[in-house]
């Protein structure tokens, strides 16, 4: 473990090759003359710069493995006086070569044996007003929240969200802790049964029959039947039964004929009567692993989906696209402060009629307001939509543009098993969306009311392009709080309010001053202003002519249209270099740039990355020959679920398959359950003679036994 906070107290080591003095972290076990190379030569934390040369310190603590295979071939440990061989001997049976050597990539990814548990403490300013109990299925009204020995009252002292891991929000934290600032909060609760058990019936029969004076017979029978919770049971979930039967008896009687025979034997004296005794039992078992006689290998209803949050706080002001590749027709040649427009993004807003507010928009009912093909059992839950309002350009330039960015993962998420980016759009027919999926720059394009992209705040802190703008800088030991929130990120004229809902397009909805959130341009939390850009770009015209338009308003039956973008289709534009499979395993951001010749607005709903549980054998899914894993140079494959949501009326379910809940009992849940019967689509093109397109699936549990089935 190397704490980069020790950078300021780093020691000087001699580079073995050049002899020049370079300041490095204090490395455990190295003397000042030890040969060392540059730390972070790949510049992971500061792309394009030499490690620790004119760069700000990286915040945080990192685990650095000293060799490429530390759990197979451990390095020498000079601090303990151990050679590599001695370290390997200590590792012994705890070595795990499987994660390096197993030829099956699935086994490599799932062969881990160790877990790192890292405790930490979090500093904060002021009173923490909310915390999570971290439990699923908390039984309503079963919680007991105590402040020391005082029992808090729900609805008076706190509110709790049972669906969100028991998130508790104190209504008046300052008042609660006014007299007891060091008081501790403790909580108890009850949990529901999370996993339902299949209905099980057991019948038994026991009887006894006497055989006069000579004995008796006992008969025992048991029958156990287990039904299934689902309509299309998979392997291991089929309804089963077992019948058990047993018979035992005793027989004990005199044998008179034996006594008469023995009495006739010369010289033999019989002391008493002869008898015959017999004890015995018989047990039988008749298991039936599948009373239906059939089972589904896969019903294809499950898909590999990743919903993207459309909550406004999950999006932030985006950077100016460093490249206009593929978007030359909608973006200015140089996107800058002269043509950037104002942009407001909201997931809640005030509804108006004839200029008067009539309510608050809190989301869309999926079937009535997004897509009438959506099937929902039970009461529907409203889904969030993100309203984007593009205003006028500060410099009056045209075309105008503005960007927002959401973080998929600070360290990168794997999208190699995903095929489509899909979302619904309402409005914005004169606008175009430019979507960049990959890694984008953090330097947000903010222009103040005077057209400036930089300056100095009243506190003397500089802001603007080329700087890492944030409300609290951890490198300086700053702690975010009310004072930092009041300053905002940039020199903004606006001032927001915590939790307030604004009208459509009101700029205060995205003001960083006083909004109650810790705002920062530092999307990955490494303390650097990262400006490297490499991503897949998709240009989506909202005028109804886009090739990505999957279903129109007439087909959805609402004001929304469905767009479905193949992630690695022929229309994807590689920006900043060729986007490889390795890049798709570490996707960090989605930047959405709204561009158009005039002001307008649009609403995004149901944005998600879609794939299938069935995955392609190779990146493109096309292999050479009928055996082996050699990738072909030609062709490509898409494997994805399809349904009426993606195909509309063109999709027809297989004969005899109904559109129904897989688990009927889920209809009694507290919120609506969506069910749309799906099939698996394998689409391929340019597969050459002798090549093959191959997709496969693994059973999520242990290997399955097919010996009980004939077809």
């Amino acid at each position: 473990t190397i704490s980069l906070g020790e950078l300021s107290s780093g020691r000087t080591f001699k580079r073995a090759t050049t002899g020049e003095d370079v300041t490095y972290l204090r490395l455990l076990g190295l003397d000042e003359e030890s040969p060392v190379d540059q730390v972070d030569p790949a510049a992971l934390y500061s792309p394009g710069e030499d490690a620790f040369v004119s760069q700000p310190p990286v915040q945080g603590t990192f685990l650095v493995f000293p060799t490429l295979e530390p759990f197979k071939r451990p390095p020498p440990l000079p601090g303990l006086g151990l050679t590599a061989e001695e370290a390997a001997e200590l590792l012994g049976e705890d070595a795990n070569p499987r994660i390096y050597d197993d030829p099956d990539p699935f086994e490599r990814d799932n062969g881990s044996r160790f877990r790192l548990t890292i405790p930490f403490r979090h500093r904060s300013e002021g009173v923490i007003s909310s915390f999570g109990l971290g439990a699923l299925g908390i039984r309503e009204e079963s919680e007991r929240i105590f402040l020391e020995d005082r029992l808090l009252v729900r609805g008076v002292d706190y509110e709790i969200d049972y669906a969100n891991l028991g998130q508790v929000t104190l209504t008046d934290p300052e008042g609660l802790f006014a007299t007891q600032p060091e008081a501790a909060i403790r909580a108890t609760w009850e949990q529901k049964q999370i996993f339902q058990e299949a209905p099980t019936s057991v019948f038994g029969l026991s009887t006894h029959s006497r055989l006069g004076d000579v004995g008796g017979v006992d008969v025992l029978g048991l029958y156990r039947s287990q039904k299934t919770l689902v309509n299309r049971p998979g392997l291991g979930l089929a309804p089963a039964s077992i019948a058990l039967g047993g018979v035992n008896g005793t027989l004990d009687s005199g044998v008179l004929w034996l006594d008469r025979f023995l009495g006739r034997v010369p010289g033999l004296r019989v002391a008493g009567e002869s008898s015959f005794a017999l004890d015995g039992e018989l047990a039988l078992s008749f298991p039936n692993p599948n009373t239906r006689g059939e089972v589904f290998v896969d019903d294809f209803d499950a898909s590999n989906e990743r919903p993207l949050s459309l909550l406004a706080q999950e999006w932030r002001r985006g950077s100016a696209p460093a490249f206009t590749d593929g978007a030359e027709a909608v973006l200015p040649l140089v996107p800058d402060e002269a043509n950037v427009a104002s942009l407001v993004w909201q997931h809640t807003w005030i509804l108006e009629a004839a200029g008067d507010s009539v309510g608050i928009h809190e989301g869309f009912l999926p079937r009535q307001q997004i897509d009438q093909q959506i099937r929902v059992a039970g009461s529907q839950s409203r889904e969030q939509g993100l309203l984007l309002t593009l205003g006028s350009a500060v410099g009056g330039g045209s075309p105008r543009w503005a960007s927002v960015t959401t973080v998929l993962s600070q360290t990168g998420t794997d999208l190699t098993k995903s095929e489509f980016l899909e979302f619904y759009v309402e409005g914005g027919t004169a606008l175009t969306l430019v979507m960049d999926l990959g890694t984008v720059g953090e330097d947000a394009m903010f222009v103040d009311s005077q057209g400036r992209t930089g300056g100095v705040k009243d506190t003397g802190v500089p802001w603007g392009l080329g700087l890492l703008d944030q409300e609290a800088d951890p490198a300086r030991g700053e702690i975010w709080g009310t004072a930092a929130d009041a300053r905002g990120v940039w020199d903004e004229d606006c001032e927001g309010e915590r939790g307030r809902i604004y009208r459509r397009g009101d700029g205060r909805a995205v003001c960083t001053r006083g909004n109650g959130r810790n705002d920062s341009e530092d999307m990955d939390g490494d303390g650097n202003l990262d400006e490297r850009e490499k991503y897949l770009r998709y240009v989506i015209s909202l005028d109804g002519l886009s090739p990505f338009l999957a279903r129109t308003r007439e087909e959805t039956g609402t004001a929304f249209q469905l767009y479905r973008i193949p992630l690695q289709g022929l229309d994807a534009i590689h920006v900043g270099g060729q986007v490889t499979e390795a890049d798709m395993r570490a996707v960090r951001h989605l930047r959405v740039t709204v561009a158009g010749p005039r002001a307008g607005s649009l609403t995004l709903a149901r944005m998600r990355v879609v794939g299938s549980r069935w995955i392609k054998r190779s990146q493109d899914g096309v292999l050479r020959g009928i055996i082996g894993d050699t990738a072909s140079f030609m062709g490509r494959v898409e494997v994805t679920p399809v349904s009426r949501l993606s195909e509309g009326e063109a999709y027809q379910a297989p004969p005899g398959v109904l559109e129904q809940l897989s688990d009927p009992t889920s209809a009694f849940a507290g919120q609506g359950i969506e069910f749309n019967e799906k099939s698996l689509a394998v689409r391929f093109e340019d597969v050459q003679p002798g090549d093959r397109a191959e997709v496969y699936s693994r059973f999520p549990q242990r290997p399955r036994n097919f010996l009980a089935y004939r077809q």
Side-chain angles (χ1 to χ4, degrees), residues 436-574:
D436 299 328
L437 184 67
T439 300
V440 303
E442 296 179 332
D443 199 3
M445 174 60 78
F446 174 80
V447 182
D448 67 8
S449 58
Q450 302 179 29
R452 299 177 303 178
T453 58
V456 180
K457 300 180 184 179
D458 295 338
T459 58
V461 177
W463 65 271
L465 294 179
L467 299 173
L468 181 61
D469 298 311
Q470 51 191 338
E471 290 179 337
D473 187 357
R476 296 187 175 93
E478 297 175 352
I479 301 175
W480 184 84
T482 304
D485 189 29
R487 293 194 296 266
V489 175
W490 301 280
D491 192 17
E492 299 165 284
D493 296 332
C494 61
E495 185 168 359
E497 297 181 31
R498 298 189 182 198
R500 179 174 174 180
I501 300 175
Y502 296 92
R503 298 177 185 272
R504 294 168 60 103
D506 192 325
R508 291 175 294 176
V510 295
C511 185
T512 64
R513 292 182 57 197
N515 63 359
R517 295 193 296 272
N518 188 2
D519 301 300
S520 171
E521 289 183 321
D522 191 8
M523 293 189 292
D524 56 8
D526 67 353
N528 291 326
L529 182 66
D530 301 319
E531 298 184 85
R532 176 174 177 264
E533 299 215 342
K534 188 176 184 182
Y535 43 77
L536 292 173
R537 168 169 288 171
Y538 317 96
V539 181
I540 306 101
S541 172
L542 302 181
D543 57 5
L545 302 178
S546 172
F548 302 128
L549 179 60
R551 296 178 57 228
T552 64
R553 298 180 185 88
E554 290 73 20
E555 293 173 303
T556 62
T558 68
F560 282 92
Q561 300 189 117
L562 174 64
Y563 289 84
R564 209 160 193 252
I565 305 171
L567 291 183
Q568 300 193 58
L570 299 178
D571 293 314
I573 303 163
H574 296 249

Side-chain angles (χ1 to χ4, degrees), residues 551-620:
R551 296 178 57 228
T552 64
R553 298 180 185 88
E554 290 73 20
E555 293 173 303
T556 62
T558 68
F560 282 92
Q561 300 189 117
L562 174 64
Y563 289 84
R564 209 160 193 252
I565 305 171
L567 291 183
Q568 300 193 58
L570 299 178
D571 293 314
I573 303 163
H574 296 249
V575 179
Q578 184 70 22
V579 177
T580 64
E581 182 179 6
D583 296 316
M584 294 303 294
R585 292 184 182 275
V587 176
R588 296 188 176 193
H589 312 126
L590 173 64
R591 180 174 61 195
V592 178
T593 301
V594 185
R598 57 181 182 273
S601 65
L602 61 96
T603 304
L604 300 173
R606 286 199 155 216
M607 178 175 285
R608 59 193 67 195
V609 179
V610 180
S612 173
R613 289 190 309 183
W614 290 68
I615 59 179
K616 296 180 288 190
R617 178 67 69 181
S618 66
Q619 180 180 6
D620 293 323

Side-chain angles (χ1 to χ4, degrees), residues 77 84 131 259 276 331 406 463:
L77 302 175
F131 55 90
D259 291 337
F276 173 78
L331 290 179
T406 186
W463 65 271

